[in-house]
Amino acid sequence: DQINAFHRVLAVTWDAEASLRERLAAQGRLREILRWLWEAAAGPVLTAIGLIGQPKGTWPRVWWATGGMLSLLPVHAAGYHSTTPDPEHRAVLDRVVSSFTPTLSALQYARRRPPSRSAADQTLIVAMPTTPGQQPLPEVAREALLLRDQLPRPELLLDPAPTRAAVLAALEHCTVVHFACHGDSDASDPSRSQLLLSDWEEAPLTVAALAPVNLDQARLAYLSACSTAVTRDTRLLDEAIHLSSAFQLAGFQHVVGTLWPINDNHAVQTAEAFYRRLADEDGLATDQCAQALHNAVRAAREQWPGTVSLWGAYQHSGA
């Protein structure tokens, strides 16, 4: 019931025809469900392992392997969120740095190489401001150009518009890839969930298309697109078939994905804050990805504490 209510009111927050009053009420209902999620699941888990109160010094890491129906809720965002800080720090964001893994075996796979920081990082930036048959994403070009100036040895696929063949070829030699485009989570067949490129109707970049890819040098995939870390087919929830897991199994140690549609303008701010926290004199400190995303999301929550739909979607998967 809570899952159904969460996704029903989440849709209202993105409905252009909904009134301001309806959208504000929807955000309030989202916060109610996150409080319930804290009391029913996340809070008891953190208490059981002794993570009580806000940490002093190094923040502890927790890997959530939710599985089943629970994967449809943002466990990392569970808690009490309002304009007034909770004195008991009853929120996952205020106690731990969260990561996700579909299984323990997948986590072992993501850790198969020791973490590294290298000035030889090669970055691939894939950007689709306009996509055939889809609404334009006016902030995507700004996001791509901003990151081109911020990331090491960037290769930008923006103009001409990127194709599946071009992206798969470029993935073979990049260590970091950032996608800024539309994403589509296929509810009936999760293996057909895809990132929408210029030829998405003829040659889609789907979960299935990534299955045979094996990238030994890969470290970080940031999927700045809608619904890249969720499976909506309730028969296959335990399988974790979505774009984030596909990139992880293709070889990326760290993947940043989303549980629902994200705001175009806010996506730029989140990405910029994330990479700024990874900046290192020896390249990108990708071993700090989970902490960097955690900090970026907390900063967004501080700016918009009542607007769960803006910052609650982002999650880190992997090592």
Side-chain angles (χ1 to χ4, degrees), residues 242-277:
H242 47 64
L243 287 160
S244 287
S245 62
F247 274 90
Q248 186 176 341
L249 293 176
F252 286 91
Q253 292 176 301
H254 304 273
V255 182
V256 174
T258 58
L259 289 174
W260 56 75
I262 55 176
N263 177 274
D264 189 24
N265 183 62
H266 181 256
V268 181
Q269 299 178 45
T270 302
E272 195 277 333
F274 171 80
Y275 287 113
R276 186 174 65 247
R277 287 170 169 85

Side-chain angles (χ1 to χ4, degrees), residues 40 52 63 65 74 103 114 128 139 170 244 276 283 288:
I52 301 172
W63 280 262
T103 64
M128 288 289 299
E139 295 298 319
S244 287
R276 186 174 65 247
Q288 297 298 309

Side-chain angles (χ1 to χ4, degrees), residues 128-137 182-184 196-197 200-201:
M128 288 289 299
T130 58
T131 306
Q134 303 294 318
Q135 291 291 327
L137 298 172
H182 279 292
D184 176 47
L196 274 62
L197 304 177
W200 69 273
E201 293 172 295

Side-chain angles (χ1 to χ4, degrees), residues 112-180:
R112 73 195 186 288
R113 296 189 312 276
S116 61
R117 304 186 187 190
S118 170
D121 279 334
Q122 175 73 50
T123 304
L124 173 64
I125 303 169
V126 181
M128 288 289 299
T130 58
T131 306
Q134 303 294 318
Q135 291 291 327
L137 298 172
E139 295 298 319
V140 157
R142 182 167 72 91
E143 180 176 346
L145 295 175
L146 183 152
L147 296 181
R148 182 188 62 181
D149 296 335
Q150 188 174 352
L151 297 177
R153 300 178 63 196
E155 177 183 355
L156 177 58
L157 296 183
L158 172 63
D159 188 19
T163 63
R164 183 180 74 173
V167 168
L168 290 177
L171 282 176
E172 293 181 0
H173 58 261
C174 77
T175 56
V176 176
V177 61
H178 182 96
F179 285 89

Side-chain angles (χ1 to χ4, degrees), residues 3 7 9 16 54 98 102 105 110 112 131 143 164 170 185 206 287 298:
I3 290 167
H7 288 276
V9 297
Q54 195 166 61
S98 290
S105 296
R112 73 195 186 288
T131 306
E143 180 176 346
R164 183 180 74 173
S185 176
T206 62
D287 56 326
R298 277 174 55 88

